[in-house]
Amino acid sequence: MKNSITQDWWRKSTVYQVYPKSFKDTTGSGEGDIRGLIEKLDYLQDLGIDIIWLQPVYVSPQNDNGYDVADYCEINPEYGTMEDFDELAAEIRSRNMHLMLDIVVNHSSTEHAWFQASRQSKDNPYRDYYIWKDPAPDGGLPNNWQSKFGGPAWQYDEGTGQYFLTLFDKTQADLNWENPKVREEVVKLMTFWAEKGVSGFRMDVINLISKDQDFPNDDGSVLPGDGRRFYTDGPRVHEYVKEMHERVFGPYNLVTVGEMSSTTMENCILYSNPAEKEFSMTFNFHHLKVDYPKGQKWELMPYDFEQLKRLLSDWQIGMQQGGGWNALFFNNHDQPRALSRFTDDTKYRTESAKLIATTLHGLQGTPYVFQGEEIGMPNPYWNDISELRDIESKNMYQILQQNGKSADEALAIIRERSRDNSRTPMQWDDGPQAGFTSGTPWIKVDERYPSINVKQQMNDPESIYHHYKKLIALRKELQVLTDGRYIRLDEAHPQVYAYARVSEKETLVVMSNFSDREASLQLPDDFHTEYVEGGLSKLLIGNTKLEPALQAQTVLTPYASYMWIIR
Ligand code: NOJ
């Protein structure tokens, strides 16, 4: 089924990311399901969402919450049935919205039939679907690559006396993309979903699929020294992506976003410039590592505000010049809540959540809203490690202690960094379990739900929810949000991030005070003379009672954030 939609329609769209396990449960199982999402489609439509990115609902042992797929073309019974899925797809279409599925093909679950066959014997026809290596001459690991979830990236298989590669959990075996049969399988499974009428795919860690075939040891000369330089944006990755485009993305006119782990801008331009025929856009994570000392996720430091602004600006300018397209996001299911991480989630929670939104939604790219972000859900309170569920967090809790941290110190780090921060149940109302489930939720509901929930937010016209709704609508109305050239305006200001988007007809100015102290920003003289003076400026959206005019010098109260248009 080919989508009869114009090319590049997604440049004015906003995507909503659904983490199905925590979205809405209709059976009382304590886990969300597809029917729960169907129930909430009117809500997403009201918000103005165009595309729903549904995270993996395929058959899976759920060791990594569905990113360990055991059958790519069947629905996990915990989430519902294929009939439920078809109904979901039809309901989304009938609302003129689009469905984007998560495709996880860097690896599969070790429970996948391919892997089960692969591990049978060295000459099994599926052996070559995965990456098997002999032990090193001393009997040890084939090389020193590390898993992203901690520990070595190789698992030993007693039966056949070889190791298989697992860049993530030990039950997520990396597929061997060198094997044309694997690529054929991927085309087949993507075609299966495209035929069902989905509009697009989010491709999980897709820049890791091409490994350096020498599998060299990492000598540590380039940080972080864990082997990633030998498989990140690897030798044949663009060739593989082009093949998927030629065979599936292009023919079905799909919108695609590649998740790019530790990537470079040069590569992201290639991945997302339409002339290359690869993806529609890319996620990169550089701006979400500004609180990692020396790149170390599991050590704490206050975030580097200047670096955050620099990275956002560099990617705006670089991708624009290279004809690439950014997927814009501060939140997802792998990140702590930006509201808690970069701003104040207590006294200034509402201002902060709106500031995060305005700052992001003024940029060039396609914005993503992660469930709960639109109502200002902060990181939950974690009292004890037993409340956490994520495999990475649980691994790291052990590893941190093995490396000399006390249990309390390890918990303090996990509290800040755990992916579970964004995975607690969606807070729908102030009833039991925040209206998420009538049973016992698989992970706890944050205790602040009585005052932070969808019902309360929808009823308050000044809420974070309504702020998001307005920003999403603006993206469709204002061409400058799509095309405008990006100019940074804040000259390394210690509190304020300010930028403009400039087109021939109009100019947009965004200013955000990322601190709890008043700040004042002086616009650069040349910018003021050229774009502000003589034009008529109007405040489009802000987060304070004041409605300041745009001036050469603007005073911003704590966490104030504004967007003006000058015509
Ligand atoms: C990236 C996904 O976003 C994350 O949740 C997952 O654990 C890894 N890829 C492995 O699939």
Side-chain angles (χ1 to χ4, degrees):
M1 200 187 299
K2 189 176 155 125
N3 292 304
S4 55
I5 36 186
T6 50
Q7 229 187 344
D8 291 9
W9 53 279
W10 38 265
R11 288 188 200 262
K12 285 180 179 295
S13 297
T14 300
V15 184
Y16 190 90
Q17 181 188 348
V18 172
Y19 198 69
K21 220 181 186 64
S22 299
F23 195 60
K24 171 72 185 159
D25 173 23
T26 59
T27 64
S29 69
E31 295 186 2
D33 45 54
I34 291 175
R35 302 215 69 82
L37 173 53
I38 297 177
E39 233 176 61
K40 297 298 181 185
L41 288 178
D42 289 343
Y43 167 71
L44 298 180
Q45 187 175 24
D46 182 77
L47 183 56
I49 294 304
D50 307 282
I51 304 175
I52 296 168
W53 155 20
L54 174 63
Q55 296 189 250
V57 290
Y58 318 105
V59 170
S60 154
Q62 300 285 318
N63 291 334
D64 189 20
N65 293 357
Y67 284 95
D68 45 333
V69 181
D71 185 337
Y72 289 99
C73 297
E74 288 292 347
I75 302 293
N76 197 330
E78 282 165 18
Y79 289 126
T81 62
M82 194 59 90
E83 286 68 45
D84 294 334
F85 178 86
D86 289 337
E87 188 177 326
L88 172 71
E91 287 291 332
I92 290 177
R93 271 197 301 275
S94 75
R95 287 171 175 77
N96 287 324
M97 299 196 292
H98 297 276
L99 178 57
M100 176 188 260
L101 288 189
D102 214 314
I103 302 289
V104 191
V105 285
N106 172 67
H107 44 265
S108 79
S109 164
T110 50
E111 289 189 17
H112 196 289
W114 301 334
F115 188 82
Q116 291 299 316
S118 182
R119 76 172 345 157
Q120 290 297 316
S121 70
K122 283 187 184 165
D123 50 17
N124 186 284
Y126 286 91
R127 186 68 169 181
D128 213 21
Y129 271 44
Y130 294 89
I131 301 172
W132 291 96
K133 293 282 167 224
D134 285 330
D138 65 358
L141 300 161
N143 69 22
N144 64 356
W145 296 2
Q146 295 294 300
S147 146
K148 305 256 181 196
F149 290 168
W154 297 95
Q155 294 300 319
Y156 188 64
D157 177 56
E158 293 282 349
T160 55
Q162 282 191 315
Y163 285 91
F164 60 96
L165 181 70
T166 63
L167 291 182
F168 292 87
D169 182 50
K170 57 180 189 299
T171 63
Q172 290 166 304
D174 280 60
L175 284 158
N176 176 19
W177 279 68
E178 298 285 317
N179 181 352
K181 286 195 196 136
V182 166
R183 305 204 296 275
E184 197 59 43
E185 298 276 12
V186 170
V187 165
K188 211 163 101 189
L189 71 91
M190 292 195 304
T191 304
F192 173 83
W193 293 107
E195 280 294 322
K196 280 190 173 284
V198 307
S199 301
F201 297 136
R202 176 263 187 193
M203 307 291 298
D204 191 66
V205 290
I206 199 68
N207 66 327
L208 308 186
I209 57 180
S210 169
K211 279 84 176 169
D212 181 328
Q213 291 303 296
D214 292 335
F215 293 86
N217 256 328
D218 195 330
D219 63 9
S221 58
V222 180
L223 284 177
D226 57 4
R228 70 182 65 186
R229 65 188 161 117
F230 299 114
Y231 56 76
T232 303
D233 301 318
R236 295 180 68 187
V237 65
H238 292 286
E239 172 196 333
Y240 297 156
V241 179
K242 283 185 164 65
E243 185 180 339
M244 291 191 271
H245 188 284
E246 191 190 318
R247 302 197 50 198
V248 190
F249 310 158
Y252 288 92
N253 195 15
L254 300 179
V255 50
T256 52
V257 53
E259 187 203 26
M260 304 303 172
S261 170
S262 303
T263 187
T264 63
M265 198 175 334
E266 204 185 353
N267 274 293
C268 283
I269 289 170
L270 292 175
Y271 291 127
S272 65
N273 183 320
E276 295 294 324
K277 296 195 190 313
E278 295 195 10
F279 294 122
S280 313
M281 59 188 121
T282 52
F283 286 118
N284 82 80
F285 297 89
H286 296 286
H287 64 299
L288 296 179
K289 296 182 180 172
V290 295
D291 50 4
Y292 292 5
K294 297 207 176 76
Q296 296 301 317
K297 174 169 173 178
W298 301 98
E299 281 173 34
L300 300 181
M301 74 171 213
Y303 79 97
D304 182 335
F305 180 49
E306 179 52 32
Q307 208 197 343
L308 175 68
K309 296 189 286 182
R310 202 173 334 115
L311 283 163
L312 290 172
S313 300
D314 286 353
W315 279 81
Q316 285 288 297
I317 295 165
M319 290 288 268
Q320 194 158 63
Q321 285 171 353
W325 195 254
N326 285 302
L328 304 170
F329 72 110
F330 276 136
N331 290 290
N332 73 20
H333 64 294
D334 293 330
Q335 300 289 331
R337 298 274 181 184
L339 164 64
S340 305
R341 190 172 180 184
F342 299 131
T343 54
D344 178 347
D345 66 2
T346 52
K347 184 169 171 202
Y348 293 107
R349 187 182 65 88
T350 300
E351 290 83 352
S352 292
K354 292 179 179 176
L355 169 146
I356 294 273
T358 309
T359 307
L360 190 82
H361 285 245
L363 296 173
Q364 185 179 49
T366 299
Y368 285 65
V369 180
F370 176 67
Q371 65 184 49
E373 171 182 342
E374 79 281 17
I375 58 168
M377 280 174 63
N379 284 349
Y381 293 135
W382 302 112
N383 303 307
D384 190 83
I385 191 72
S386 64
E387 294 174 338
L388 286 112
R389 299 285 175 271
D390 176 33
I391 191 161
E392 182 195 40
S393 306
K394 290 200 279 193
N395 284 352
M396 291 315 302
Y397 183 66
Q398 297 307 332
I399 293 175
L400 285 166
Q401 291 179 74
Q402 284 156 18
N403 293 345
K405 297 267 190 265
S406 70
D408 281 351
E409 286 166 342
L411 182 60
I413 295 175
I414 300 284
R415 263 198 195 108
E416 297 278 316
R417 290 289 145 88
S418 174
R419 306 193 297 177
D420 279 341
N421 279 314
S422 54
R423 297 178 176 186
T424 56
M426 183 69 181
Q427 294 160 200
W428 294 104
D429 57 40
D430 57 3
Q433 308 298 355
F436 163 67
T437 179
S438 59
T440 307
W442 71 279
I443 187 170
K444 75 170 204 174
V445 173
D446 183 40
E447 55 214 63
R448 280 160 289 182
Y449 77 86
S451 58
I452 305 176
N453 60 65
V454 169
K455 190 165 155 212
Q456 170 270 330
Q457 288 276 315
M458 287 186 84
N459 288 336
D460 171 6
E462 301 297 317
S463 69
I464 301 162
Y465 173 83
H466 286 284
H467 191 87
Y468 269 87
K469 190 168 166 172
K470 207 162 158 187
L471 286 169
I472 293 167
L474 281 174
R475 182 149 297 254
K476 296 207 184 58
E477 288 160 23
L478 297 176
Q479 189 59 29
V480 67
L481 276 171
T482 310
D483 298 338
R485 185 163 56 86
Y486 174 93
I487 306 177
R488 183 171 166 189
L489 297 176
D490 65 69
E491 285 279 2
H493 194 292
Q495 296 153 278
V496 179
Y497 177 31
Y499 62 84
R501 302 285 311 284
V502 177
S503 72
E504 254 170 49
K505 280 206 262 142
E506 49 196 10
T507 298
L508 202 83
V509 173
V510 176
M511 245 181 235
S512 303
N513 177 4
F514 275 71
S515 81
D516 61 1
R517 285 152 295 122
E518 190 173 281
S520 148
L521 184 94
Q522 177 88 40
L523 286 175
D525 286 344
D526 52 346
F527 178 83
H528 188 259
T529 320
E530 193 170 343
Y531 298 103
V532 185
E533 259 173 16
L536 204 59
S537 71
K538 185 180 140 205
L539 183 72
L540 286 175
I541 190 165
N543 64 351
T544 62
K545 292 250 176 321
L546 308 168
E547 300 203 343
L550 178 62
Q551 287 170 336
Q553 174 138 17
T554 306
V555 173
L556 298 133
T557 55
Y559 295 104
S561 171
Y562 305 107
M563 183 187 284
W564 294 271
I565 187 129
I566 315 165
R567 291 186 168 112

